[in-house]
Amino acid sequence: MDKTEYKDIFVFAEQREGVLQEVAAELLGKARELADKSGERVRALLLGENVAPLAAECIARGAHAVLLVEAPELAVYTTEPYAQAMYHLVATRHPSILLLGATTIGRDLAPRLSARLATGLTADCTGLEISDDGDLLMTRPAFGGNLMATILCKEHRPQMSTVRPGVARPRPLDPGARGDVERVTIPFNPVKFRTRVTGFEPAERSRVDIAAARVLVSGGRGMGGAEGFRLLESLADALGAEVSSSRAAVDDGVAARERQVGQTGKTVRPDLYIAAGISGAVQHLAGMEESGYIVAINKDRTAPVFQVADLGIVGDARQIIPALERRIRLTRSK
Amino acid sequence: MNTIVCIKQVPDTTEIKLDPVTGTMIREGVPSIMNPDDRSGLELALQLRERHGGTVTVITMGPRQAEAILREALALGVDRAILLSDRKFAGADTLATSNTLAGALRALPFDVIITGRQAIDGDTAQVGPQIAEHLDLPQVTYVERASLETPAALRVRRAVEEGHQTVEVDLPCLLTVLAGAVEPRYMSVRGIIEAYNKEIEQWDYSRVTVDERAIGLAGSPTRVFKSFSRGAKNACEPRELPVEEAVDLILAGLREKFII
């Protein structure tokens, strides 16, 4: 394989029902950052039915150009039509790097595609960099977040990665950005379409998005149940924050699952994360350690949460949280 | 209906602790278990057999010790258990692993192949769809339930971010199953006793229909460049203070960071 024949970064611009997904904006921004360093170009791969209006958004988020595939076969995501379209785009244009979001769609599509392309794929990455040799360094957690590994795909192209939502920040929208939009027609082979989506049952609409919050007041078992969580809600109110939680508090029925931070919950990176009564299982730490400033309050001096905290207080969060709230309200009223 | 379940032996990552000083993983004494998603996949296979007849076969790739999870599967009532073990398979990334498993699966009759969604040691969720591609099978991932819709198709419920989809998939097919969706059964005493009278088939490279260059370390496009524990680099020295002083300290921190 001649690596010099492969260049540019392709980003799967995931859309659902005509809405460009947040992770697509994040990846376009990240790809642009990498491309600016290596002197390459970023192409957004925009697939769906009636999705042309999103091309401008892809360009405003960092793509130099867009490959647009509109087809009724792509109206609702199923593996094979998307795999055929992506395979066609990649096999005819030879990108060096192909990035997808680590969503249920990205993680269904990417491994299928990597096997068809006979190339390497690194799952659920939290860090991407270009090495001195020009290869992609893909960093990801393993062992439930206990271990980080940096993966290379040196002798195969494209270098494929799914990237965890929330780990990169999108570039601000640049409405002045210009780029080409190229329409591509795919020679589909419908004989291989052997799955059909026949029904959909929406989950109860999530009222909160902890991943979007700038400040999170997060509680665990150490808050002592629902009463303790009311203290957190009150502090969150004073700070203009959202309440989040550890898995333990969710399992106890004290907090809603949509508020859970960690490996099986959401990855968050607010400016401020207050961990109250959370001991800090690695699965939890994996979901919040990238926060800007971490304050941990726990009775147990040896709690692992202190290993990632910027400020650690050994004490009872049920006393400290309301005292902190009082002082903040006082400051605000001055 | 004949189902094959691909299972993996993994360290119980919920039991792994970090050394508070060095921040490295303490692996000693961590028990090995059947991967939780695979355990649910196996349960789904056993339920399909109960409803529709047929057989359940389990297969795992790994060292000799991985027999433990095959024995466990036999105790749960599977019909056949295969250990894929050969030095040639070692050092494989997900693509090479999927090539090896696909090579073995080619030699077996099946209507459905089930894998867990992902293994808790690697968390990649890649091997299932990669097997499906090698065997030219339709795939459905994140599966919670499955039933026979017609003699030639399954109806499957799968979890996505916004809710649940119902998908119809033609047979033969591959499903990746979520832990927690199907409550795995317990081994019975009789099952455990009988498991020790059943044979575990040992398959080496000679039994697998695959190019040697596509498996093991040589067949792996990806390499671990370096691995590191997250470490204790941010570790702060926790302070024990009276409540109001603790609050002073927190407020000072927030002001310094311009958060308030």
Side-chain angles (χ1 to χ4, degrees):
Chain A
M1 193 207 62
D2 181 4
K3 282 203 276 187
T4 60
E5 284 176 17
Y6 294 79
K7 65 178 173 58
D8 293 343
I9 305 179
F10 281 14
V11 174
F12 176 61
E14 182 177 328
Q15 58 81 26
R16 297 184 186 201
E17 296 182 349
V19 178
L20 192 70
Q21 297 298 290
E22 185 70 12
V23 70
E26 293 165 11
L27 289 186
L28 287 167
K30 186 68 193 178
R32 183 60 180 263
E33 179 194 318
L34 298 173
D36 284 348
K37 276 183 205 155
S38 60
E40 292 180 291
R41 286 162 58 84
V42 176
R43 280 178 202 263
L45 311 184
L46 181 57
L47 282 65
E49 192 183 29
N50 305 321
V51 291
L54 301 181
E57 195 178 340
C58 293
I59 290 164
R61 288 294 188 188
H64 290 99
V66 177
L67 295 175
L68 173 66
V69 183
E70 289 190 303
E73 290 88 343
L74 304 174
V76 175
Y77 175 82
T78 51
T79 314
E80 187 57 28
Y82 271 75
Q84 287 186 13
M86 290 290 286
Y87 179 82
H88 180 83
L89 295 175
V90 173
T92 54
R93 287 153 204 271
H94 314 294
S96 172
I97 293 173
L98 172 59
L99 305 178
L100 301 91
T103 60
T104 56
I105 289 178
R107 296 188 78 177
D108 184 84
L109 176 60
R112 186 95 200 189
L113 191 56
S114 78
R116 198 164 294 184
L117 292 161
T119 190
L121 170 64
T122 306
D124 206 21
C125 293
T126 56
L128 297 175
E129 279 176 85
I130 303 285
S131 76
D132 295 341
D133 301 338
D135 294 315
L136 185 63
L137 296 164
M138 300 170 274
T139 299
R140 64 180 307 269
F143 287 93
N146 285 289
L147 192 71
M148 302 297 291
T150 300
I151 312 288
L152 270 175
C153 176
K154 260 188 126 44
E155 303 302 331
H156 292 72
R157 292 290 181 272
Q159 305 161 89
M160 284 182 66
S161 163
T162 59
V163 181
R164 186 180 289 190
V167 298
R169 290 209 195 275
R171 291 155 72 93
L173 273 171
D174 175 4
R178 293 286 172 268
D180 294 335
V181 179
E182 183 186 341
R183 237 172 227 286
V184 183
T185 307
I186 304 295
F188 284 112
N189 175 10
V191 175
K192 302 278 185 187
F193 300 172
R194 290 162 292 182
T195 61
R196 296 162 291 281
V197 176
T198 57
F200 178 66
E201 194 183 301
E204 255 180 64
R205 195 86 199 118
S206 179
R207 286 162 297 125
V208 293
D209 183 9
I210 56 168
R214 287 187 55 236
V215 178
L216 285 173
V217 179
S218 203
R221 269 205 180 125
M223 290 309 295
E227 210 168 301
F229 265 70
R230 278 194 286 278
L231 303 174
L232 298 179
E233 281 159 23
S234 193
L235 173 62
D237 183 52
L239 280 168
E242 285 290 351
V243 172
S244 57
S245 84
S246 70
R247 177 169 178 174
V250 172
D251 288 347
D252 292 348
V254 175
R257 191 156 295 281
E258 65 195 18
R259 294 184 187 271
Q260 183 189 323
V261 171
Q263 193 83 8
T264 51
K266 285 190 175 141
T267 299
V268 298
R269 47 185 297 173
D271 297 334
L272 169 64
Y273 189 90
I274 299 177
I278 294 176
S279 62
V282 283
Q283 287 84 354
H284 184 81
L285 303 185
M288 49 65 87
E289 63 183 332
E290 297 293 323
S291 303
Y293 190 70
I294 299 172
V295 177
I297 307 166
N298 202 292
K299 278 182 177 168
D300 176 5
R301 170 174 287 278
T302 66
V305 70
F306 290 127
Q307 290 178 29
V308 302
D310 297 282
L311 176 62
I313 304 289
V314 180
D316 186 351
R318 286 175 298 186
Q319 292 178 14
I320 294 166
I321 292 292
L324 180 60
E325 182 203 338
R326 269 195 303 279
R327 293 279 294 279
I328 285 168
R329 289 198 194 273
L330 262 176
T331 314
R332 292 273 155 99
S333 65
K334 271 178 196 164
Chain B
M1 189 160 68
N2 298 315
T3 306
I4 305 175
V5 189
C6 301
I7 62 178
K8 185 180 182 187
Q9 189 180 48
V10 294
D12 187 350
T13 58
T14 59
E15 297 287 320
I16 290 177
K17 300 271 186 290
L18 291 187
D19 184 313
V21 178
T22 62
T24 53
M25 253 164 75
I26 305 170
R27 296 198 210 198
E28 288 81 47
V30 175
S32 286
I33 56 171
M34 190 192 302
N35 181 54
D37 283 344
D38 305 353
R39 181 178 282 281
S40 282
L42 175 54
E43 177 61 34
L44 183 65
L46 292 168
Q47 289 179 11
L48 286 172
R49 186 183 66 181
E50 279 158 14
R51 260 181 279 147
H52 308 298
T55 62
V56 176
T57 299
V58 286
I59 187 164
T60 191
M61 180 179 113
R64 197 66 192 253
Q65 304 88 281
E67 270 192 23
I69 58 167
L70 295 174
R71 199 65 75 184
E72 196 179 333
L74 286 168
L76 290 168
V78 306
D79 301 282
R80 191 172 172 191
I82 299 167
L83 175 68
L84 278 175
S85 205
D86 197 304
R87 283 222 178 113
K88 289 193 168 90
F89 304 153
D93 72 357
T94 63
L95 189 68
T97 300
S98 69
N99 279 323
T100 305
L101 285 164
L105 292 163
R106 280 189 187 101
L108 295 164
F110 62 82
D111 302 292
V112 180
I113 293 172
I114 292 178
T115 70
R117 170 204 34 177
Q118 65 190 38
I120 58 172
D121 53 353
D123 291 322
T124 74
Q126 290 178 179
V127 172
Q130 288 172 333
I131 292 171
E133 174 64 19
H134 299 315
L135 300 179
D136 188 22
L137 298 171
Q139 74 192 43
V140 187
T141 50
Y142 301 96
V143 169
E144 293 189 346
R145 289 208 282 272
S147 58
L148 208 55
E149 170 77 1
T150 69
L154 288 178
R155 176 198 291 223
V156 174
R157 177 180 155 96
R158 72 187 290 257
V160 295
E161 285 87 349
E162 302 90 352
H164 288 90
Q165 277 181 340
T166 309
V167 178
E168 243 179 58
V169 54
D170 295 343
L171 296 173
C173 67
L174 181 142
L175 311 178
T176 83
V177 174
L178 290 172
V182 197
E183 193 58 43
R185 66 193 62 193
Y186 289 102
M187 293 180 279
S188 66
V189 174
R190 192 168 145 208
I192 293 168
I193 293 165
E194 284 177 1
Y196 281 89
N197 297 322
K198 291 183 188 168
E199 186 211 357
I200 290 175
E201 296 173 43
Q202 312 281 338
W203 286 23
D204 61 11
Y205 175 70
S206 67
R207 300 288 300 269
V208 177
T209 318
V210 67
D211 188 328
E212 201 172 333
R213 287 165 301 185
I215 62 170
L217 190 64
S220 299
T222 63
R223 290 276 195 287
V224 177
F225 170 63
K226 61 173 177 181
S227 63
F228 48 101
S229 52
R230 278 171 317 142
K233 62 177 193 292
N234 285 335
C236 64
E237 185 54 46
R239 310 260 312 262
E240 193 162 0
L241 299 163
V243 172
E244 288 303 324
E245 283 175 44
V247 170
D248 285 338
L249 195 61
I250 295 170
L251 288 172
L254 301 194
R255 286 199 189 97
E256 194 189 309
K257 298 289 168 190
F258 304 105
I259 293 164
I260 57 168

